Amino acid sequence: MALCFAAVDLGATSGRVILGRLADGRFLLEECHRFVHDPLATGTTLRWDADRIFGEVRAGLAEAERRAAAEGGLVGIGVDTWGVDYGLVDADGRLVVQPYHYRDSRTDGVPERLGIDASALYGRCGLQVQPFNTIYQLVAHAGAPEWVDARTLLLMPDLISHHLTGRRVAEVTMASTTGLLDARTRDWSTRTIANLTGLYGLPLDLVLPDLVEPGTILGPVDRSVVDSGAQVVAVGGHDTASAIVAVPATDSDFAYISSGTWSLVGLELDHPVLTEASAQANFTNELGVDGTVRYLKNVMGLWVLTESIHEWTRQGLDVRLVDLLAEASGLPPLVTVVDMADQRLIPPGDMPGRLAAMAAETGQPVPRTPGEFTRCILDSLALAYRTAIREACSLAGRTVDVVHVVGGGSQNTLLCRLTAEATRLPVVAGPAEGTALGNLLVQARALKALTGGLADLRGVAAASSSLVRYAPGDLGLSQSLWDAAALRLARPRPVDAV
């Protein structure tokens, strides 16, 4: 009989509850519940509808329990989400206010005016500077009236686990996205917390909960949610941390791309890279499962294409992803590329208009049709992956012989083929449900259904997945063509575009 676990896997635009049945050394995954969680827009403010998210999670877990009834019900539950966002709860565990959305504009300009030396901060937390990082959100949030009633700050997966169990903790992989953690010690940075308390009056020394490592059993789920008494386990709470657990690698010489709304591109290391060169290249050191470090760059992902489709739909165009990809695959390669790290691509809105402006600024042909925009996006992503992997290897003193693509983007055949061409490395695509699978693997090991280290868990991941391999050279795109595309992005802007 199979053992049943539920993975609550929340991305930045949608959430799912996945039932995982473990039998004969492999997981069989079944989606029980899927929902969209759009932000709440009030004036110029974006927040998460946490109450709705809680309700959807409860509904999904109830359905997972119902489907698992024949095998004795759920054994474990784990929660992973996107990074950086948080909620404030009062003494009774109630949300003081709905959590801010990381795309909210209140952090614009905050990194530039942070009163902490940037080099010193990187030497502690090792994080890529992104305006939505928790540390900048907190500075923008300083002085708000909700701090009066706040007793605990809970990051999003921990907030959901608290809703399910009443336990208040900070899971380490998620905490490492805040800028408040010491990347070397895997503990809160007392110096950074003191800086923020002194400069902005933030009571972080009082509201930050105890840290726990992935695999910590938090306790039984509330019986009002699931009656089987399943244990809630702190997994790799940051979705990328869970996804990297499920990379079906047979050795350590791999690069990974966790491809979805965002693209997280990097290496798995034993120690953080906190050099000035790493800081200048804007690489991040997020913590992973089993003491690892996710050394990566946060690159814009398929969000750019998704938001473009939304804009075309708002304009009354009938566009479907499958048709866009088919059209894009037949177009000439690398006609127009844009910088996928450009901050203009973060907010929702007229994405094609922004891409057109960026193309014009670098003197390149401006895409006109949805297919041309799609080709521009995918070529630009592959070029960004090439650059990020080469930089990561150089800065960390590593070489790699394969790129593993996990997450929803692993099903985008054109993007995977372009990635193999751009990096000149074989690409192994899958599992598509890498985040949910990694979540399930950590649960199963914590509850003694699996044993061993990451290599053992990855063996189960490989046995549980259908993988596709893409060889470099299949499209016949020379490296000089990619080099020329990269140089176009380095051109000064035309005077009339500044």
Side-chain angles (χ1 to χ4, degrees):
M1 181 180 293
L3 291 175
C4 295
F5 304 82
V8 178
D9 173 28
L10 302 186
T13 56
S14 66
R16 300 94 46 76
V17 176
I18 304 290
L19 174 63
R21 292 183 171 91
L22 177 63
D24 301 322
R26 63 189 295 267
F27 265 109
L28 180 64
L29 274 58
E30 178 184 353
E31 185 179 290
C32 295
H33 186 58
R34 176 182 286 269
F35 58 95
V36 174
H37 55 86
D38 293 324
L40 296 170
T42 305
T44 59
T45 297
L46 287 179
R47 294 181 183 267
W48 293 108
D49 189 345
D51 295 328
R52 178 171 177 268
I53 291 173
F54 292 157
E56 296 284 3
V57 168
R58 292 170 74 96
L61 289 174
E63 178 60 19
E65 174 77 351
R66 186 188 70 78
R67 298 189 192 189
E71 289 107 338
L74 294 175
V75 175
I77 297 169
V79 182
D80 67 77
T81 79
W82 68 95
V84 306
D85 289 339
Y86 60 90
L88 300 175
V89 299
D90 64 16
D92 296 320
R94 293 186 296 261
L95 265 175
V96 177
V97 68
Q98 295 287 7
Y100 276 102
H101 191 291
Y102 68 89
R103 294 188 192 274
D104 184 79
S105 62
R106 78 196 197 286
T107 58
D108 291 352
V110 173
E112 291 77 16
R113 61 180 175 83
L114 183 71
I116 304 174
D117 179 74
S119 179
L121 183 61
Y122 189 87
R124 298 174 212 159
C125 69
L127 285 193
Q128 177 182 1
V129 176
Q130 296 276 18
F132 48 71
N133 287 353
T134 314
I135 188 171
Y136 306 126
Q137 291 199 44
L138 288 167
V139 170
H141 202 174
E146 50 262 34
W147 288 103
V148 174
D149 294 322
R151 293 296 176 269
T152 312
L153 183 152
L154 293 174
L155 297 157
M156 292 306 291
D158 307 317
L159 182 64
I160 296 169
S161 293
H162 170 260
H163 178 75
L164 298 176
T165 66
R167 184 92 179 266
R168 304 186 190 198
V169 299
E171 187 277 321
V172 162
T173 72
M174 188 67 180
S176 72
T177 72
T178 64
L180 306 178
L181 210 70
D182 188 309
R184 289 191 179 94
T185 65
R186 301 174 75 94
D187 203 350
W188 296 120
S189 170
T190 55
R191 182 172 297 179
T192 301
I193 291 167
N195 289 159
L196 292 174
T197 301
L199 289 169
Y200 301 103
L202 290 161
L204 298 178
D205 54 336
L206 302 177
V207 300
L208 291 176
D210 292 339
L211 289 157
V212 298
E213 289 282 349
T216 301
I217 298 172
L218 302 180
V221 66
D222 190 287
R223 292 279 181 176
S224 67
V225 181
V226 171
D227 195 42
S228 64
Q231 294 289 327
V232 177
V233 178
V235 296
H238 189 268
D239 50 10
T240 310
S242 279
I244 303 313
V245 172
V247 167
T250 56
D251 57 44
S252 61
D253 295 327
F254 67 91
Y256 60 78
I257 304 171
S258 180
S259 179
T261 301
W262 288 89
S263 294
L264 294 309
V265 187
L267 312 173
E268 184 175 75
L269 303 178
D270 295 327
H271 304 286
V273 180
L274 302 175
T275 61
E276 184 61 28
S278 180
Q280 290 301 315
N282 212 19
F283 268 79
T284 206
N285 294 267
E286 295 175 356
L287 303 184
V289 173
D290 286 5
T292 57
V293 174
R294 292 173 286 126
Y295 186 59
L296 59 88
K297 181 163 281 191
N298 202 334
V299 175
M300 217 62 64
L302 291 170
W303 154 261
V304 180
L305 180 56
T306 301
E307 192 62 14
S308 294
I309 292 172
H310 289 166
E311 179 61 24
W312 292 322
T313 302
R314 286 191 287 267
Q315 295 173 4
L317 299 178
D318 182 17
V319 290
R320 296 186 302 164
L321 179 60
V322 63
D323 296 330
L324 291 174
L325 295 176
E327 182 183 348
S329 66
L331 293 173
L334 298 166
V335 171
T336 303
V337 291
V338 298
D339 180 3
M340 298 304 283
D342 195 299
Q343 300 296 307
R344 286 173 288 181
L345 301 178
I346 293 177
D350 182 8
M351 200 65 73
R354 296 173 196 163
L355 294 169
M358 292 164 66
E361 288 168 5
T362 48
Q364 300 179 84
V366 175
R368 296 168 298 169
T369 68
E372 289 177 352
F373 276 104
T374 300
R375 184 70 199 220
C376 168
I377 292 166
L378 298 184
D379 282 345
S380 300
L381 281 173
L383 183 61
Y385 299 163
R386 175 188 195 247
T387 301
I389 289 170
R390 289 184 174 187
E391 284 186 320
C393 288
S394 175
L395 292 164
R398 290 277 296 274
T399 59
V400 298
D401 51 28
V402 64
V403 179
H404 283 273
V405 181
V406 297
S410 68
Q411 298 176 303
N412 190 316
T413 299
L414 179 55
L415 180 56
C416 290
R417 294 180 75 188
L418 287 169
T419 301
E421 292 289 303
T423 61
R424 218 64 182 171
L425 292 167
V427 167
V428 177
E433 296 289 359
T435 303
L437 182 54
N439 177 323
L440 294 165
L441 289 166
V442 173
Q443 286 185 61
R445 187 178 63 174
L447 297 172
K448 312 301 183 185
L450 292 173
T451 59
L454 281 176
D456 300 289
L457 297 185
R458 286 170 175 155
V460 178
S464 306
S465 307
S466 296
L467 307 175
V468 181
R469 189 178 182 91
Y470 298 91
D474 284 353
L475 297 180
L477 304 183
S478 68
Q479 288 298 287
S480 61
L481 196 61
W482 292 99
D483 291 340
L487 284 174
R488 294 204 300 272
L489 293 185
R491 285 181 182 172
R493 295 182 180 183
V495 173
D496 60 358
V498 176

